[in-house]
């Protein structure tokens, strides 16, 4: 499946993992959107990702957390268990999901969508890159409902 945001924002990388919810200390599923750091996007992450955040209904200002997106962004699962991040325009992008990720997302009823405003080095794990982005305040986070 092609990435519908790619035409608007260049190439995007979607990843996911289980992390700790700072509000409760419990597990929560994370989804991560980044632009590759290899120059293939044709645009700078600092320009592209705030626009992507806004299109997804998140506050585009660096360092922000949106608890309720203003747009109909949500997560569902395909019949074969893939994550399906659905965009406000009805398009979506999919990636494989582990049973643990899916169970955590469904039990919580929400996932954390993290967008980084720094280009992602292909040799860096998404979790590490996300932590770096948070450390320097170059991110936007949103709580996305699971349907």
């Amino acid at each position: 499946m092609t990435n519908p945001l790619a035409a608007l924002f260049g190439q995007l990388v979607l990843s996911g993992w289980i992390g700790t919810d700072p509000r409760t200390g419990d597990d929560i599923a994370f989804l991560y959107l980044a632009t590759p750091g290899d120059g293939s996007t044709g645009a700078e992450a600092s320009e592209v990702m705030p626009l992507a955040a806004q299109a997804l209904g998140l506050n585009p200002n660096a360092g922000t957390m949106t608890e309720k997106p203003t747009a109909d962004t949500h997560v569902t699962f395909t019949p074969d268990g893939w994550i399906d991040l659905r965009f406000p325009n009805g398009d979506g992008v999919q990636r494989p999901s582990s049973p643990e990720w899916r169970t955590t997302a469904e039990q919580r009823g929400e996932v954390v969508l993290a967008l980084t405003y720094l280009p992602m080095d292909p040799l860096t794990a998404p979790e590490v890159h996300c932590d770096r982005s948070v450390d320097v305040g170059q991110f936007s986070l949103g709580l996305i409902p699971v349907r």
Side-chain angles (χ1 to χ4, degrees):
M1 170 176 270
T2 61
N3 181 342
L5 284 182
L8 297 174
F9 305 113
Q11 183 179 357
L12 296 175
V13 177
L14 179 65
S15 187
W17 68 90
I18 302 291
T20 302
D21 185 335
R23 301 168 297 174
T24 65
D26 296 329
D27 285 347
I28 193 164
F30 281 80
L31 273 180
Y32 185 65
L33 276 177
T35 57
D38 61 5
S40 64
T41 63
E44 294 294 323
S46 61
E47 298 168 8
V48 170
M49 296 311 285
L51 296 173
Q54 188 172 20
L56 295 168
L58 306 181
N59 184 332
N61 295 318
T64 60
M65 171 68 162
T66 303
E67 291 193 31
K68 294 185 181 188
T70 59
D72 186 25
T73 303
H74 60 277
V75 171
T76 63
F77 294 94
T78 65
D80 57 354
W82 281 45
I83 300 163
D84 188 6
L85 177 61
R86 305 303 301 172
F87 303 126
N89 68 358
D91 289 330
V93 63
Q94 298 174 356
R95 68 162 277 113
S97 166
S98 71
E100 177 188 21
W101 196 98
R102 181 177 181 162
T103 298
T104 301
E106 289 178 330
Q107 286 176 346
R108 291 294 301 263
E110 64 185 3
V111 302
V112 176
L113 177 61
L115 284 79
T116 178
Y117 296 177
L118 302 175
M120 183 176 171
D121 179 339
L123 301 177
T124 302
E127 303 93 315
V128 172
H129 189 254
C130 186
D131 286 345
R132 286 182 190 155
S133 298
V134 169
D135 288 346
V136 296
Q138 293 299 304
F139 68 92
S140 183
L141 301 175
L143 293 175
I144 306 299
V146 175
R147 295 187 183 158

